[in-house]
């Protein structure tokens, strides 16, 4: 039976960015998303995990990243929290603006927003929480497994 | 799989065959080092063959941009060859597809270098 909720607490390492992506891949597949959706979800989680490890926790071994996958009636809700200074979403530059097009960074949040149906960024003094939401379509919406 | 590269030369153009993932960490560093090494040898015509690159993240995209601008700033040319659908789609949504000179045929790509 597909679990409805999975939670992980991760050290702030690059290896755990790969682990978060892998977990997203497996869980999104278990929840019945199609191949393209799984790729999008896994990439969004990877980008959010990179932000948490690098920009949030700055590789601080004392700070953790929490990763939570929850299947609700109509959505897959993924929550990623870091223990950094807090990301102000209003200060994220538009990577599609002509003056930013050739910048070598700053596309992570844009890609997350492109791949998910809804993204909520909640900064606080104790860190940043980002909620990634993907609507469940097709057979997965009825709570059934993907084709075996 | 992390990024692996092999470089060959055709008519003065350095074709870098890439396979694996270009992501934050080792994959991005491998690409950066290959381009840096070629420029250090005075090789300024670089064709990145991404036909076997099955995954790229925002850091990898940034590394491609960095390679492109670094080569261009040194008076060279960097073009991309054989994009997979995933990489093609990512360059489209980030509006970089028209920034890069993207080719899908090696022979014509080599001829396109000045």
């Amino acid at each position: 039976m597909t679990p409805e909720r999975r939670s992980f607490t991760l050290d702030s390492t690059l290896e755990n960015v790969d682990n978060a992506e892998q977990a997203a891949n497996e869980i999104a597949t278990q929840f019945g998303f199609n191949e393209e959706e799984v790729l999008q979800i896994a990439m969004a989680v990877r980008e959010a995990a990179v932000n948490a490890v690098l920009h949030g926790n700055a590789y601080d071994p004392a700070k953790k990243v929490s990763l939570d996958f929850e299947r609700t009636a109509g959505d897959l809700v993924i929550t990623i929290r870091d223990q950094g200074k807090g990301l102000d979403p209003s200060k994220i530059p538009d990577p599609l603006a002509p003056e930013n097009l050739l910048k070598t960074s700053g596309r992570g949040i844009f890609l997350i927003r492109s791949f998910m149906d809804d993204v909520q960024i909640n900064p606080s003094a104790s860190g940043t929480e980002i909620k990634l939401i993907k609507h469940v379509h097709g057979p997965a919406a009825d709570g059934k497994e993907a084709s075996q | 799989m992390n990024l692996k590269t092999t470089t060959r030369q055709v008519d003065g153009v350095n074709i870098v065959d890439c396979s694996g993932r270009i992501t934050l960490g080792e994959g991005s560093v491998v690409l950066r080092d290959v381009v840096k090494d070629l420029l250090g040898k005075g090789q300024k015509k670089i064709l990145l063959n991404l036909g076997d690159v099955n995954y790229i993240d925002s850091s990898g995209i940034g590394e491609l941009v960095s390679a492109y601008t670094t080569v261009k700033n040194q008076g060279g040319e960097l073009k991309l060859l054989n994009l997979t659908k995933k990489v093609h789609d990512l360059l489209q949504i980030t509006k970089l597809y028209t920034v890069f000179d993207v080719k899908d045929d090696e022979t014509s790509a080599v001829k396109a270098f000045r």
Side-chain angles (χ1 to χ4, degrees), chain A residues 14 18 21 39 42-43 46-47 50 54 59 95-96 101-105 107-108 110-111 114-115, chain B residues 21 23-25 55-59 61-63 65-66 68-69 85-86 90 93-96 99:
Chain A
L14 270 189
D18 291 337
E21 177 194 345
L39 182 78
M43 189 164 209
R46 178 182 182 84
E47 296 292 344
V50 166
L54 255 79
Y59 295 113
L96 302 187
L101 219 46
L102 288 180
K103 287 198 172 164
T104 56
S105 61
R107 296 181 179 84
F110 169 78
L111 290 180
S114 299
F115 291 150
Chain B
R21 293 161 56 103
T23 55
L24 180 70
Y55 193 92
I56 186 166
D57 66 4
S58 67
S59 299
I61 294 171
E63 205 54 51
V65 171
S66 174
Y68 172 80
T69 54
K85 185 180 181 301
K86 289 174 193 170
L90 277 176
I93 62 173
T94 52
K95 288 194 175 177
L96 288 168
V99 170

Side-chain angles (χ1 to χ4, degrees), chain B residues 47-86:
Chain B
L47 181 60
L48 293 182
N49 179 6
L50 303 180
D52 288 325
V53 171
N54 49 33
Y55 193 92
I56 186 166
D57 66 4
S58 67
S59 299
I61 294 171
E63 205 54 51
L64 287 180
V65 171
S66 174
Y68 172 80
T69 54
T70 303
V71 173
K72 195 176 177 188
N73 288 343
Q74 296 199 23
E77 284 181 88
L78 182 139
K79 301 179 193 296
L80 305 181
L81 176 67
N82 292 334
L83 301 188
T84 58
K85 185 180 181 301
K86 289 174 193 170

